[in-house]
Amino acid sequence: MAVTTSHEPTRRHLTAPQADKVDRLIDAAQVELRAHGYEGLTVRNAARRAGVAPATAYTYFASKDHLITEVFWRRVQALPDVSVDGRRTPVARVTAALRDVALLVADEPELATACTTAVLANDSDVRRLRDRIGGAFSQRLADALGDDADPATLRALGLACSGAMLQAGMGYFAYTEVADRMEEVARLVLERGA
């Protein structure tokens, strides 16, 4: 499955000046999240910090959940490509691919908490981004598995990854532990089938 790599928000095609405003809003949202957390972030505050009129900000982002999910999506897009190194085992390749995912927000607890909440929002704009994020995670797993990828294995690893990210987001363990937990799962799934 091909993954879209555009930085264009899901709502519209953007001109260069519009894309600049969106980029400023994304940057401002991250600063606001660090300073005030999920509860303190508003699209209006991000717009003020970005030097954009609130009404303009709302033409690009329907809600703060949409804005936060766009922040997370951009981080997902910035992940390094997964390279298939035939000298490494499928378990090692999957673990390495998922370590990058797990560390996306590991050093920013406010952003991690906000992303966990926002990505689960019942909003059509968030849903479209959530689908892109899920597709990108699935593609990383498929790339890491290479020729060893089969649909059942991908589904099992995908479910485990999303569950691990959710549990980390809920504070059951640190994001830095996700890769180690996913290595355990990868061993169970991949080595049992061998």
Side-chain angles (χ1 to χ4, degrees):
M1 165 168 63
V3 177
T4 304
T5 57
S6 164
H7 280 305
E8 180 180 311
T10 58
R11 298 183 89 202
R12 58 183 20 221
H13 177 72
L14 301 176
T15 65
Q18 291 170 328
D20 178 63
K21 286 178 187 170
V22 168
D23 289 343
R24 291 192 336 245
L25 286 164
I26 295 293
D27 293 342
Q30 291 176 84
V31 172
E32 286 289 316
L33 280 169
R34 287 180 196 114
H36 307 291
Y38 177 80
E39 295 302 323
L41 174 70
T42 65
V43 174
R44 182 174 295 281
N45 289 346
R48 185 186 69 248
R49 184 175 292 276
V52 174
T56 301
Y58 278 108
T59 65
Y60 302 117
F61 299 104
S63 65
K64 77 176 181 179
D65 291 328
H66 181 204
L67 179 57
I68 294 166
T69 304
E70 180 70 28
V71 168
F72 188 68
W73 169 234
R74 288 190 179 204
R75 287 183 176 221
V76 169
Q77 288 180 295
L79 287 171
D81 289 337
V82 174
S83 61
V84 177
D85 180 351
R87 297 170 295 173
R88 297 171 75 195
T89 66
V91 170
R93 293 191 312 255
V94 165
T95 302
L98 293 176
R99 186 172 307 281
D100 290 336
V101 170
L103 296 178
L104 278 174
V105 293
D107 295 334
E108 299 181 74
E110 297 84 9
L111 181 59
T113 300
C115 288
T116 300
T117 302
V119 170
L120 297 175
N122 187 21
D123 169 295
S124 61
D125 292 310
V126 170
R127 193 174 312 114
R128 280 190 288 278
L129 284 170
R130 186 172 52 234
D131 289 346
R132 287 182 180 184
I133 292 164
F137 286 1
S138 293
Q139 188 64 54
R140 285 187 76 74
L141 287 169
D143 290 347
L145 288 170
D147 294 336
D148 298 320
D150 71 69
T153 300
L154 285 172
R155 282 192 303 273
L157 291 171
L159 284 169
C161 179
S162 61
M165 293 292 286
L166 181 60
Q167 286 188 0
M170 295 183 329
Y172 293 142
F173 52 86
Y175 279 95
T176 54
E177 295 177 55
V178 170
D180 294 335
R181 302 228 176 170
M182 284 305 303
E183 182 177 3
E184 293 172 4
V185 172
R187 285 189 190 291
L188 285 171
V189 171
L190 296 170
E191 292 175 356
R192 277 222 176 127

